[in-house]
Amino acid sequence: MTRPENYPLHHTIVAIHSGTRFEQEPVNARRTLYGLVRYSLRQEGLIRDDTHMRVYPDRMLILIPADVPKVVVTDRWRAALELRLDQHGADESGALSEVRMAVHAGEVLLVDDLATGAAVHATFRLLDSAAMRFAATPGPLNMIVSDLFFDDVIKGTDEAAAYERIRVDTSTVAWLRTGGPSAAKATRADFAVLYDSEDAEWAEWVAYHLRQAGYSAVLDALALTPGGVTAAIFDRADRLVVVVSPNLSSRESHTAAWLPGNVAAVQVAKGGSTRPFRLLCNIVGVGAEEARRRVFAMLGIVGGADDEPRYPGKTGRLPLPVVRVEPRAPELVLVHAARDGRFAEELAESLTGLVGRRGPLSRISNRSVSANDIDLQTEVYGFVRDADVVVLVVSRNLLATQYGSSRELRVVMDRHEREATVVLPVVYRATSWEDQPFGSLAPLPTGGRPVTEWENRDEALLSVVEGVRFASLELRGGPPMPIDTKASERRSLGEVFTVAGVPTVTFVEPEDFAEFRMALRQPGLGIVLEGPSGIGKTTLLRNAVALDAERLGQVRVLSARNPADLPAITALPEKHEGMVAVDDFQRLYVDLQNRLADYLKLLADNGSRAKRLVLLGIPGTARSLVSVGTDVATRIRVFRLGAAVEGLVMRMIEQGENALNIAFDRKAEISRTSAGSLLTAQMLCWQIAVTAGVEQTEPNRKSVRTDLAHARAKVTERLKLKYHDVVADFITRDRPDEAVCVDLLLDLARAEDGIVKLTGQRAELFTGLRGDHLFHDPRGQRLVVDDPQFRFYLKQLHRDDLLDLAGKRLPIPRDQVFVCYSHQDVHWLTRLQVHLKPLQLDVWSDRRIELGDDWQREITQALARAKAALVLVSADALASDYINSEELPHLLAAAEDGGCRIIPVLVGPSLFHDTPALNRFQGVPAKSTLSELPNHDGERVLADLAAKLSKLFA
């Protein structure tokens, strides 16, 4: 029998928010607030064993048992909390002066200390509504109660006069406690934009440009509806602007025109009633620039900005980039799973140095997401939508919340595509996130290496902070670019950004460059320069020698990759003059490596000034030399080049900009995409410049639009001719039913240094592999990519494409819950999802299919992965041709194979018991249907079903 605590029970539901965003010292502010809440609850006797309190990163949820009179909550306890907040504000100079509280009542299901149910979601919607966030009520506590709560508890009491009825959205009414007639009025705005709800996009566009021009503006979709015209309209704004379209009735247009003052009308579509208005501008069919000019001319104002919301009308020609004269500092939002809250606070603390008067950011806010969150398919938080920088903390916890398919992320990614915001994935824990909507974006820390895998966590956080800093500076306009004294010298594009050979114009000195030059001068000292391929070892050596040419002479570089150089390398101990560098040392056979190690010792013992030897190789080269003899360690000096820090890549890009007299509009994103590889950054800059028509130094400063997706695609297309056969050969070394080589290739692409350690079992596949682009190192049992262009190419590949190329046929894991239902029963699907959310199962329904997706392919793939299938049985479902011809046969076949368990959920009366294909499976409930049960019993059935699925997937 189900335990009583698993039943939904009636509660008074209270949600509390501090009213401030996650910035400066948010933890202390929240702790203080929650302490005052608990104290006042205890003072009123509301702290009991059955009182449920849960603190989320940005809010607090309180469930008060049904036997406590509800009026105690909104009267006595509310007054006690308000008093405590007043006293705290007097002591702390107004801290916690805008606390928000939402109150509702209803059925709540508690599962593992997580509260869920429609009533909880409704409470959070009230708490986060625009009406609540922008409320200006007296005192430190802003309280809103649901319409149901007001009717049941407050209506008919003396306290009712202190509440004002407001509309939260088109379908929800609530009551805001204003404190009665003497309540303070909201700050008066310059403009109020009145509109029909169907024209919301137009109203937001008009209001946005008014604000960008330095005016305050508020929106009102109800002022012109019957009964909506009140004196409050004139208290809110000095001037009124009406959006006119056929959606606005003739009566509403006449009502607006007869309002006092100079009412201005903006006609956005043909057919609207415009005759009553004295001030009118028509923007039907014009472009965004012309529309803004006409609106401002009518109102007698000037202004404008970039990063604007999408223009709802015809775009016309694209506007030229606009440079802000006094740019505002961008706002940043951290989006993370609730379970990653501690890391989010740690990251926010690291980023606080970027906030303030001298920093590139103005504010850091927090967005916590959980599997128990409000409906992610419909809700969009305004502060996330409007953020300039959105940092996504990527981990399996975030992916489990299904945030990747949320409406909010779709809005954010759309703004990113329109360059109205910057999205920065920060990989916290290793997980497969490349197929997410943000999977193509350049991640932080450098190279996308998860924070948890860094030996030094502070270095990982520093890499993230640097990436955010450069992105924020670029949004703000950044500091003035330094002027290169050689900028007037005409240079070709290939001379500046080199895709092969050694760069000179865009060479940047690493931190220990001076120390490296000094080591080269020291007689007898063997030099080992190690680092990932493409990191710039040869470039560093050549530039260091060129600066000291009089003392060091010329350097002769021999490559183990070049067969023509092998005889000279072999003969070095007998025939060696001047400075010689052996590149790709790891490619030499082990016996030749040992001979050169012995020769290094000999040079050191003799202290030769005429002969110097430098070995260049991958990470671990020095360690392999020491393994030959420990005395080598005292005779060599090792320099290690890791991934270039963000600032070094940015310096290289800026030097190239100066040389060509151009300005990339998104160079911070180029830097992140390069993942610390200077050569990759060179390739991308070259391609972007070519696309923009830059061939040599421009006579006048030229702004270059950065389309990284196009640049990556073009570079990848060229490299495919070179590397396609190499990849195809490698990924077919294992059996057709395994993907060891495919996964290894992807591991190599993700590895920061292009090296993957092999197990003994895996090493057998690659014995003797010594290709031009990757090879097997038998001494270190490693697989190595030592071609930087090949590494870039690998990073553009996807696992599914590689499996197809190799002809792999792997077993598909069954790890999903598939829900088969008729769209007439969608309300039962919603209730089912509410009960399953706390389990964090991957629940698939056709709601996931986006506009433009191949729905047949999406459903077929989901059916193949179903471990459990919930068939919502009703008369509508049994009558559905698609369910009977497509979904049900696949599910029955999977059940026959033993790979999928089918559970019929009887949601309504039907001929289920007369349907042989389904009635052989035990349905729930056993003796009735959900629609025939009392609501309480129906919820119990769904809770029991969720418990069974939890055991099935355990």
Side-chain angles (χ1 to χ4, degrees):
M1 183 174 178
T2 307
R3 294 177 298 167
E5 57 263 33
N6 284 343
Y7 300 166
L9 299 175
H10 192 83
H11 291 83
T12 300
I13 308 166
V14 181
I16 295 178
H17 192 285
S18 66
T20 57
R21 293 185 177 182
F22 187 63
E23 59 179 340
Q24 302 301 330
E25 295 182 350
V27 179
N28 294 336
R30 290 198 306 278
R31 286 175 180 168
T32 300
L33 171 62
Y34 300 155
L36 296 175
V37 170
R38 288 190 177 93
Y39 183 89
S40 57
L41 284 169
R42 189 176 294 109
Q43 184 181 7
E44 297 303 321
L46 297 179
I47 296 287
R48 308 186 341 184
D49 292 340
D50 50 357
T51 300
H52 174 85
M53 287 187 290
R54 182 175 178 85
V55 175
Y56 297 90
D58 62 341
R59 61 194 61 202
M60 185 178 195
L61 178 67
I62 306 166
L63 303 179
I64 298 173
D67 61 336
V68 176
K70 293 181 174 62
V71 72
V72 172
V73 176
T74 54
D75 189 2
R76 282 176 26 203
W77 176 55
R78 187 265 314 154
L81 177 59
E82 199 162 26
L83 177 62
R84 289 289 165 190
L85 291 170
D86 265 330
Q87 292 172 346
H88 176 77
D91 296 336
E92 301 291 336
S93 301
L96 298 176
S97 60
E98 297 179 356
V99 175
R100 304 199 309 261
M101 182 165 78
V103 184
H104 185 40
E107 304 300 311
V108 180
L109 178 67
L110 283 169
V111 179
D112 296 331
D113 202 36
L114 289 176
T116 186
V120 175
H121 298 164
T123 308
F124 282 138
R125 279 196 292 271
L126 291 177
L127 185 71
D128 296 320
S129 66
M132 185 58 171
R133 286 186 282 118
F134 298 118
T137 59
L141 182 65
N142 298 329
M143 185 171 76
I144 191 171
V145 302
S146 66
D147 193 39
L148 175 67
F149 192 96
F150 182 86
D151 285 344
D152 289 348
V153 180
I154 300 172
K155 189 176 181 179
T157 68
D158 294 339
E159 186 69 11
Y163 289 80
E164 178 183 338
R165 187 175 185 271
I166 62 171
R167 184 170 290 277
V168 175
D169 54 41
T170 56
S171 61
T172 307
V173 170
W175 293 81
L176 182 67
R177 191 176 191 280
T178 62
S182 60
K185 301 212 178 276
T187 304
R188 191 177 180 87
D190 296 312
F191 291 92
V193 182
L194 313 183
Y195 62 101
D196 181 272
S197 58
E198 293 295 322
D199 296 321
E201 272 193 304
W202 282 109
E204 290 174 359
W205 184 84
V206 172
Y208 174 86
H209 287 291
L210 290 173
R211 292 170 186 148
Q212 290 298 320
Y215 296 88
S216 57
V218 294
L219 298 169
D220 195 328
L222 302 169
L224 302 178
T225 57
V229 179
T230 67
I233 299 174
F234 314 116
D235 292 334
R236 296 178 65 193
D238 294 327
R239 297 184 64 183
L240 306 180
V241 178
V242 180
V243 176
V244 179
S245 78
N247 298 317
L248 201 68
S249 68
S250 177
R251 178 180 176 181
E252 290 170 339
S253 293
H254 279 81
T255 300
W258 283 101
L259 293 173
N262 291 325
V263 179
V266 179
Q267 185 179 11
V268 299
K270 294 180 179 179
S273 178
T274 59
R275 292 183 64 184
F277 297 99
R278 285 170 290 175
L279 284 177
L280 171 70
C281 76
N282 185 334
I283 62 172
V284 179
V286 303
E289 287 183 281
E290 177 62 16
R292 180 169 53 204
R293 188 194 66 77
R294 292 186 186 185
V295 172
F296 284 3
M298 174 185 66
L299 299 174
I301 59 178
V302 293
D306 57 347
D307 291 348
E308 65 191 57
R310 185 187 68 83
Y311 178 57
K314 295 181 180 178
T315 57
R317 66 183 181 86
L318 291 174
L320 294 173
V322 179
V323 180
R324 296 188 183 99
V325 179
E326 295 182 1
R328 63 180 179 86
E331 296 186 6
L332 179 145
V333 172
L334 276 174
V335 178
H336 63 91
R339 292 187 173 185
D340 297 329
R342 288 188 177 179
F343 173 72
E345 292 193 359
E346 182 182 7
L347 179 56
E349 184 179 346
S350 301
L351 292 170
T352 51
L354 304 181
V355 180
R357 188 173 179 181
R358 296 182 179 274
L361 293 174
S362 63
R363 188 191 303 269
I364 299 175
S365 304
N366 183 50
R367 166 73 162 107
S368 176
V369 185
S370 71
N372 196 36
D373 209 344
I374 53 181
D375 192 349
L376 292 173
Q377 298 305 316
T378 58
E379 297 290 339
V380 178
Y381 278 71
F383 72 97
V384 180
R385 178 197 62 212
D386 299 334
D388 302 290
V389 181
V390 176
V391 172
L392 301 174
V393 177
V394 180
S395 73
R396 60 180 179 272
N397 294 327
L398 183 67
L399 303 192
T401 66
Q402 302 300 324
Y403 187 74
S405 61
S406 68
R407 182 186 174 205
E408 183 172 275
L409 183 64
R410 289 198 296 273
V411 171
V412 168
M413 291 304 298
D414 178 65
R415 282 174 52 80
H416 177 83
E417 291 298 322
R418 292 187 287 111
E419 301 180 21
T421 190
V422 173
V423 179
L424 302 175
V426 173
V427 185
Y428 173 41
R429 295 185 184 279
T431 188
S432 179
W433 62 278
E434 289 79 9
D435 292 330
Q436 293 289 312
F438 49 86
S440 62
L441 302 183
L444 295 171
T446 300
R449 183 181 176 190
V451 172
T452 54
E453 295 182 8
W454 286 59
E455 292 182 8
N456 189 323
R457 194 180 182 92
D458 289 339
E459 289 183 3
L461 290 171
L462 178 61
S463 176
V464 174
V465 171
E466 285 293 288
V468 172
R469 183 169 72 87
F470 282 110
S472 304
L473 283 171
E474 194 165 68
L475 271 177
R476 194 170 183 173
M481 187 179 298
I483 301 300
D484 188 346
T485 56
K486 299 181 181 180
S488 58
E489 185 180 339
R490 298 185 70 81
R491 299 179 183 276
S492 68
L493 174 61
E495 183 184 0
V496 176
F497 292 120
T498 58
V499 295
V502 179
T504 54
V505 178
T506 50
F507 170 71
V508 287
E509 299 178 359
E511 185 177 353
D512 54 358
F513 183 64
E515 192 175 347
F516 178 68
R517 289 176 58 194
M518 295 297 294
L520 289 174
R521 298 174 185 173
Q522 189 171 339
L525 182 64
I527 306 292
V528 176
L529 184 58
E530 62 178 42
S533 180
I535 207 69
K537 300 185 292 291
T538 307
T539 300
L540 179 70
L541 175 63
R542 288 191 182 279
N543 279 278
V545 173
L547 290 173
D548 230 354
E550 290 186 8
R551 183 180 283 125
L552 300 177
Q554 298 296 316
V555 60
R556 182 187 182 193
V557 179
L558 304 173
S559 174
R561 180 190 299 275
N562 185 359
D565 287 344
L566 286 178
I569 296 174
T570 305
L572 269 176
E574 294 81 28
K575 299 178 181 179
H576 178 193
E577 294 296 334
M579 178 175 288
V580 176
V582 178
D583 201 359
D584 299 308
F585 178 80
Q586 72 279 354
R587 282 185 165 270
L588 298 175
Y589 289 102
V590 174
D591 58 344
L592 184 52
Q593 291 182 8
N594 294 342
R595 284 188 62 206
L596 291 181
D598 289 336
Y599 182 54
L600 268 180
K601 288 191 291 182
L602 180 63
L603 289 177
D605 292 341
N606 295 337
S608 174
R609 291 181 176 273
K611 301 177 181 180
R612 289 183 173 86
L613 181 61
V614 182
L615 302 181
L616 282 65
I618 61 174
T621 297
R623 188 167 58 249
S624 66
L625 289 174
V626 173
S627 67
V628 176
T630 55
D631 52 346
V632 175
T634 60
R635 294 170 168 83
I636 61 174
R637 180 67 194 279
V638 182
F639 291 88
R640 294 183 174 89
L641 295 182
V645 296
E646 192 95 12
L648 205 62
V649 179
M650 289 289 283
R651 276 171 48 201
M652 185 277 291
I653 297 172
E654 288 177 353
Q655 286 179 201
E657 286 179 317
N658 287 337
L660 294 171
N661 202 21
I662 62 175
F664 295 111
D665 62 347
R666 294 162 66 187
K667 56 177 173 282
E669 193 169 345
I670 300 174
S671 177
R672 290 194 302 275
T673 303
S674 72
S677 169
L678 291 167
L679 181 58
T680 300
Q682 296 262 3
M683 292 164 57
L684 291 172
C685 289
W686 183 90
Q687 182 62 55
I688 293 167
V690 166
T691 303
V694 176
E695 298 180 4
Q696 58 186 357
T697 304
E698 293 289 326
N700 300 307
R701 195 70 160 178
K702 179 175 181 176
S703 177
V704 174
R705 182 176 176 80
T706 303
D707 187 343
L708 272 171
H710 178 264
R712 281 201 305 266
K714 293 295 289 183
V715 173
T716 304
E717 183 181 342
R718 289 201 310 273
L719 296 179
K720 184 177 181 179
L721 297 173
K722 182 178 180 181
Y723 299 123
H724 178 271
D725 292 344
V726 178
V727 170
D729 175 71
F730 183 84
I731 60 179
T732 52
R733 284 176 168 258
D734 52 3
R735 297 195 308 268
D737 61 343
E738 64 179 5
V740 173
C741 292
V742 168
D743 291 332
L744 262 178
L745 208 59
L746 296 175
D747 288 343
L748 282 167
R750 287 188 290 264
E752 184 180 4
D753 53 7
I755 300 173
V756 171
K757 187 76 174 177
L758 297 175
T759 63
Q761 186 178 14
R762 287 166 124 188
E764 297 175 1
L765 297 170
F766 314 110
T767 302
L769 178 66
R770 302 184 68 85
D772 289 337
H773 315 297
L774 57 88
F775 79 103
H776 173 234
D777 174 17
R779 170 175 280 176
Q781 285 300 299
R782 302 177 297 177
L783 201 61
V784 181
V785 174
D786 60 356
D787 180 343
Q789 292 185 343
F790 187 48
R791 283 188 64 203
F792 176 85
Y793 179 71
L794 292 181
K795 289 182 180 181
Q796 316 310 311
L797 303 181
H798 298 281
R799 191 173 191 268
D800 289 344
D801 295 333
L802 290 173
L803 292 173
D804 288 342
L805 176 63
K808 303 290 186 181
R809 296 294 179 263
L810 305 179
I812 300 174
R814 291 192 175 274
D815 55 3
Q816 284 185 340
V817 178
F818 183 93
V819 183
C820 172
Y821 73 106
S822 164
H823 284 200
Q824 303 300 319
D825 302 320
V826 67
H827 58 288
W828 289 112
L829 172 66
T830 302
R831 293 305 307 148
L832 180 64
Q833 289 175 324
V834 167
H835 282 272
L836 295 182
K837 265 193 175 182
L839 304 180
Q840 296 192 359
L841 298 176
D842 189 358
V843 181
W844 194 97
S845 72
D846 61 6
R847 282 184 170 184
R848 284 198 190 177
I849 301 176
E850 299 289 342
L851 185 65
D853 285 349
D854 184 342
W855 60 272
Q856 182 74 49
R857 180 172 177 266
E858 293 287 330
I859 291 178
T860 301
Q861 289 179 346
L863 287 167
R865 292 184 57 185
K867 185 175 184 178
L870 305 182
V871 183
L872 306 191
V873 181
S874 67
D876 292 304
L878 295 183
S880 169
D881 291 335
Y882 185 79
I883 290 177
N884 286 303
S885 63
E886 296 290 340
E887 292 186 351
L888 205 51
H890 282 88
L891 292 176
L892 294 173
E896 291 291 338
D897 296 339
C900 179
R901 180 175 177 181
I902 296 179
I903 305 175
V905 182
L906 311 184
V907 300
S910 70
L911 295 178
F912 167 73
H913 296 290
D914 297 321
T915 307
L918 283 175
N919 63 16
R920 58 194 174 103
F921 303 104
Q922 178 63 49
V924 293
K927 298 180 180 180
S928 184
T929 66
L930 291 177
S931 62
E932 295 172 304
L933 292 175
N935 182 59
H936 197 81
D937 292 340
E939 292 292 319
R940 184 190 311 164
V941 170
L942 293 177
D944 289 344
L945 176 61
K948 291 178 182 178
L949 288 174
S950 178
K951 292 180 181 178
L952 178 64
F953 282 84

